[in-house]
Amino acid sequence: MLRLALFALFAITPMMAMDTPLLTWPDLTSRARPAPNATIAYGSDAYQKVDLWLPKGDGRHPVVLMVHGGCWQTEIADRTLMNWIADDLRRRGIAVWNIDYRGVDRPGGGYPGTFQDAAAAADALAAYAARYQLDLEHVVAVGHSAGGHLALWLAGRAKLPKGSVLRTAHPLPIKHVISLGGLPDLEATAASPDNGCGTDIIARLTGPKTTAHADVFADTSVPRLLPIGVPQDLVNGENDRIIPMRLGINYGAQASKAGDKAVLHRIPATGHVELIAPESAAWGKARSLILGALK
C-alpha cells in the first residue's frame, strides 16, 4: 500500500526548461494497478513478503529481482509501487521477484532488520526457483531510489566484513544491477541536505555507533564494498529533484575507479517518477538494459 506520506514528501512537480511538467506520484498511482501471480511470505511480518510475476508459458524464466524505494520507510512506499513496471516485464517474458522489507519506521526495521529482510527476501528466490521454473543463472537486480541502494548492496554482500551481522554464507548470485535514481553512497546521502529523503533518515537506517558496530557505513554503504564484481548501470533523470544527479555521478566514478564496470545513463526531461513509469523514455532505457543483461 502506498501511504499518504509519499505524496507529502514527493508531490513536487518540477518544471523543465520548456515548461513541460514532469510526472507526479498520483499520475502513476491513480492508474489501474496490475496484480502479481503469487505472494510469498519469507517471515511473519506483514512486510516480509515477495510478489512473484510470472510470464506465460513453460521454461526457465530469466528473473528480475526488484527492490522498491521510499526512503527506506514503509510508511512512504511498499512493493506495490513497482507493479506497473513488473507487469511490463512479465508481458515481455521476464519473471519478477518483487521484494518487500521492514522500513526504518517499522518494528524490527533499521539496522540490522531492513538489511536482513532484503537479504532473506532475495535468498528466498533460490528456494522457489524449481517450483516456478526460475532461472537462477540469469538474475538481474533492479532497484528504484532507496531500492537502488539495496539492489547494489544485495549484489555486493559477498564483500561484507567477516564480523558483520549482515554477512551470510551463500548470498544469491546476482548477474547485473540496474539502479534507477539510486542512493548507493549512504555517507554522501547523509551529507547532502538536498536529497529528497533528508539526512536524518540515514542515521535511522545504519543505527548508532556501538562498540560492536563502530563504523556504521562499513557494511551498509555500497562504496565500502567496492569492487562488487558485478556490472552496474545507473539510470538517472536530468530533472530529478529528489535524487540529485551528482549522487549518481560520484558513485559511478567510485565504482569505476575501484575496477567495476559502472555506466551512468543520464536521461533528459526526466524526473523521479518517470524512472518507474512503463511508458517513459527512462524506463524504456532501463528495460533495454535489463533485456541485454539477461541474454
Side-chain angles (χ1 to χ4, degrees):
M1 182 184 299
L2 187 68
R3 300 290 196 267
L4 292 178
L6 177 64
F7 301 105
L9 183 62
F10 292 158
I12 302 169
T13 308
M15 305 297 287
M16 294 181 291
M18 298 182 67
D19 295 328
T20 302
L22 300 178
L23 290 178
T24 65
W25 287 114
D27 290 331
L28 178 66
T29 59
S30 62
R31 307 174 186 186
R33 193 185 301 267
N37 297 87
T39 298
I40 297 162
Y42 65 88
S44 60
D45 189 89
Y47 286 93
Q48 291 175 320
K49 297 285 197 300
V50 174
D51 283 342
L52 176 61
W53 301 71
L54 280 173
K56 294 180 180 180
D58 296 327
R60 297 179 70 204
H61 306 296
V63 185
V64 161
L65 169 63
M66 189 168 282
V67 193
H68 72 83
C71 295
W72 304 277
Q73 296 176 75
T74 300
E75 193 65 23
I76 290 178
D78 64 17
R79 66 190 184 278
T80 64
L81 186 60
M82 310 296 273
N83 281 25
W84 293 275
I85 58 173
D87 182 57
D88 182 65
L89 292 174
R90 174 174 62 181
R91 292 171 182 270
R92 298 170 190 274
I94 298 171
V96 178
W97 188 258
N98 185 21
I99 73 171
D100 222 330
Y101 49 88
R102 291 170 295 175
V104 300
D105 53 343
R106 290 280 299 183
Y111 185 90
T114 295
F115 295 91
Q116 290 174 330
D117 280 4
D123 290 343
L125 172 56
Y128 287 89
R131 181 185 305 183
Y132 292 108
Q133 298 181 315
L134 306 176
D135 186 354
L136 293 180
E137 294 182 3
H138 292 85
V139 178
V140 170
V142 177
H144 176 243
S145 198
H149 158 258
L150 289 173
L152 286 160
W153 180 85
L154 286 169
R157 281 191 294 154
K159 301 295 292 291
L160 287 171
K162 290 184 179 180
S164 171
V165 298
L166 304 182
R167 188 176 173 91
T168 55
H170 303 289
L172 177 79
I174 292 172
K175 180 180 180 181
H176 197 115
V177 183
I178 297 167
S179 171
L180 308 173
L183 293 157
D185 189 339
L186 297 185
E187 291 175 273
T189 302
S192 302
D194 58 340
N195 87 78
C197 292
T199 57
D200 62 328
I201 196 66
I202 304 303
R204 297 173 66 187
L205 177 66
T206 63
K209 292 182 179 181
T210 65
T211 301
H213 196 222
D215 183 350
V216 298
F217 296 112
D219 57 353
T220 59
S221 187
V222 180
R224 296 296 194 89
L225 308 179
L226 294 173
I228 63 174
V230 174
Q232 304 157 49
D233 283 290
L234 316 173
V235 181
N236 287 67
E238 291 282 7
N239 296 81
D240 194 332
R241 300 295 183 264
I242 295 171
I243 307 303
M245 178 63 74
R246 72 173 184 282
L247 294 178
I249 294 172
N250 292 343
Y251 171 75
Q254 290 180 79
S256 296
K257 184 177 180 180
D260 279 339
K261 181 181 178 182
V263 180
L264 175 67
H265 307 270
R266 302 175 63 149
I267 312 299
T270 295
H272 204 57
V273 182
E274 283 84 354
L275 295 168
I276 54 172
E279 77 283 1
S280 72
W283 175 247
K285 179 62 178 179
R287 183 175 57 225
S288 69
L289 293 168
I290 293 167
L291 293 173
L294 287 172
K295 286 183 179 179

